[in-house]
Amino acid sequence: MGFNTKAVHTGVAKDSQYRSVTTPLYTSSNFAFSDIHTNTGYDYTRSGNPTRRAAEENIATLEEGVDARCTSTGMSAVTGVLHLLKAGDHVVSGNDIYGGTFRLMDAVFSRMGIEFTFVDMRNPHNLKVALRPNTKMVWIETPSNPLLNIVDLEAVASIARKHGALSVVDNTFMTPYYQKPLRLGIDIVIHSTTKYINGHSDVVGGVIVSSTTELAEQVQFNVNALGISEAPFDAWLVLRGVKTLGIRMAQHTRNATAVAEFLQNHDKVETTYYPGLATHPGHALAKRQMSGFGGMVSFDFKPGAMDLNVFFSRLNYFTLAESLGGIESLAEAPWFMSHASMTKEARIAAGIKKTNVRLSLGIEDTPDLLDDLKDALS
Ligand SMILES: *Cc1c(COP(=O)(O)O)cnc(C)c1O
């Protein structure tokens, strides 16, 4: 089965009573037993729910994992994975990961006796140097946010494995349509399904995908014990959204490619960041480990070239908003908005400038988006 066929056909046809074409939404909090030992496989929705299970089966198949668990938000997926650790453990993480993940590690889990070292993962040697005897997890995002740095998945997976540490990839930006970390030896993939997987900006959610049954059991234990599973209605929306993931990603990428090429040649723009550009330092690696370059582009204005608020206010089709991965185009300033949850030092270390603008290209028609940017920049 090809990707789109899997996306459309996995986890559906769950209704034998009326033979509905789409997966029914079971909002029930609990499910009846026929005797004290027997139920239909579900007892209580925090632990398991047929609608959520359908979404989980679908995403597990797309990521080529053994199991997936849908969580209430992307951050609760991160929480569920970090709770595989215990006090005294050490984690090496990328220094340009999602701001909320950085904050959770730096300000919450570090209070619980887990240590974190943040390094530039573009060079896997930095990971080797940061490893300690108690390093139990390696956390990466590739491409990173907002500068779209590329990390070598195979190299990181093998360094982590040799050390006996779990490797975790936040695959939110690429989705399994373009990047399959588990195939390259990574142990766990997480997503904020709020972004591309749901794709319609009408849900917040997350998912944890495991590569082995043993990990899957630990993850399900955590999701149930912590109470972070996704509400059935939200899971139902995610399942509806994921069916069009492939065709949406292709159009996001067409738009991002055209916009990156346009920005790269614009005289008000200093640097354009897009892994699909031949000038991007990670381009060769991106071509090797991804099958497409995705819908995110960022750029730095030349110093004093343009007031950010003027630029944003002139845009018609790009909404000034955080988040990403929806069908509508968005624009934002990471320093002041999406990455404000990182300390100033951390933002500087990650190379984020005050003049940086991040675009999430939607699925609108390419000429309309290009015209909009041309006008706003003129
Ligand atoms: C948005 C995002 C998250 C957090 O997800 P929420 O659904 O907002 O909790 C984590 N990682 C990445 C890469 C994200 O973009």
Side-chain angles (χ1 to χ4, degrees):
M1 255 197 283
F3 189 92
N4 289 319
T5 311
K6 280 188 200 168
V8 171
H9 287 282
T10 315
V12 296
K14 291 285 184 179
D15 167 25
S16 53
Q17 193 168 10
Y18 298 113
R19 308 189 64 209
S20 66
V21 170
T22 64
T23 306
L25 170 54
Y26 295 98
T27 56
S28 192
S29 57
N30 43 353
F31 300 86
F33 286 65
S34 49
D35 63 57
I36 59 169
H37 302 295
T38 318
N39 59 34
T40 60
Y42 297 100
D43 53 14
Y44 187 58
T45 277
R46 169 161 43 75
S47 327
N49 174 281
T51 305
R52 188 169 67 232
R53 200 66 194 132
E56 291 169 346
E57 282 169 14
N58 190 301
I59 298 170
T61 302
L62 297 182
E63 278 289 5
E64 301 180 5
V66 305
D67 192 31
R69 293 289 164 169
C70 287
T71 57
S72 55
T73 62
M75 289 321 301
S76 62
V78 179
T79 302
V81 171
L82 291 178
H83 272 291
L84 296 170
L85 301 165
K86 58 180 189 323
D89 288 349
H90 173 246
V91 180
V92 185
S93 171
N95 67 353
D96 53 358
I97 54 170
Y98 179 71
T101 305
F102 174 82
R103 177 175 56 193
L104 183 63
M105 291 174 170
D106 182 59
V108 180
F109 276 87
S110 65
R111 273 198 262 123
M112 294 157 53
I114 296 168
E115 297 174 306
F116 295 89
T117 305
F118 298 94
V119 304
D120 182 344
M121 290 277 184
R122 280 175 295 182
N123 184 351
H125 182 70
N126 296 335
L127 165 60
K128 273 193 191 154
V129 171
L131 290 172
R132 300 180 193 167
N134 59 337
T135 304
K136 293 288 159 59
M137 190 177 280
V138 176
W139 190 284
I140 57 170
E141 251 174 71
T142 179
S144 71
N145 180 8
L147 301 183
L148 292 317
N149 292 321
I150 308 294
V151 178
D152 188 330
L153 288 166
E154 221 167 353
V156 166
S158 113
I159 294 168
R161 180 145 307 173
K162 272 191 201 120
H163 195 75
L166 285 175
S167 52
V168 185
V169 170
D170 183 335
N171 202 26
T172 299
F173 270 42
M174 272 307 106
T175 81
Y177 187 65
Y178 284 140
Q179 178 167 275
K180 295 198 177 63
L182 301 183
R183 264 194 203 170
L184 300 174
I186 296 292
D187 296 308
I188 295 177
V189 161
I190 68 129
H191 285 271
S192 168
T193 55
T194 312
K195 317 295 167 51
Y196 290 106
I197 289 196
N198 180 61
H200 292 71
S201 312
D202 50 13
V203 87
V204 286
V207 68
I208 307 171
V209 189
S210 304
S211 60
T212 66
T213 6
E214 193 195 347
L215 278 173
E217 276 165 20
Q218 292 170 26
V219 164
Q220 167 55 6
F221 177 85
N222 281 3
V223 168
N224 184 43
L226 293 163
I228 57 174
S229 52
E230 185 162 47
F233 181 62
D234 292 357
W236 182 80
L237 282 172
V238 169
L239 178 59
R240 190 178 68 158
V242 77
K243 292 175 191 171
T244 55
L245 178 63
I247 55 172
R248 282 186 284 108
M249 287 310 287
Q251 177 67 4
H252 288 303
T253 301
R254 270 193 288 279
N255 282 338
T257 304
V259 164
E261 280 164 6
F262 163 72
L263 289 171
Q264 191 179 31
N265 298 314
H266 199 282
D267 60 11
K268 287 192 173 142
V269 173
E270 190 172 60
T271 312
T272 305
Y273 306 91
Y274 186 62
L277 292 175
T279 50
H280 188 283
H283 180 64
L285 175 57
K287 255 170 73 179
R288 203 165 74 224
Q289 68 184 19
M290 291 145 52
S291 54
F293 301 110
M296 299 300 296
V297 175
S298 84
F299 65 95
D300 298 331
F301 274 112
K302 285 182 182 159
M306 196 152 186
D307 180 82
L308 286 185
N309 275 323
V310 171
F311 171 68
F312 290 129
S313 69
R314 284 181 182 170
L315 292 166
N316 288 313
Y317 299 128
F318 292 81
T319 303
L320 176 60
E322 293 181 12
S323 196
L324 59 106
I327 52 169
E328 60 285 295
S329 292
L330 305 176
E332 65 111 10
W335 178 277
F336 301 98
M337 298 171 63
S338 60
H339 287 62
S341 55
M342 287 168 79
T343 60
K344 193 176 156 201
E345 294 69 32
R347 275 173 281 173
I348 292 169
I352 303 167
K353 296 181 184 167
K354 286 186 178 172
T355 54
N356 183 252
V357 170
R358 189 185 77 180
L359 303 176
S360 171
L361 285 309
I363 61 164
E364 300 93 335
D365 294 306
T366 313
D368 292 333
L369 297 181
L370 287 175
D371 284 348
D372 202 19
L373 286 168
K374 259 177 224 161
D375 289 349
L377 285 166
S378 67

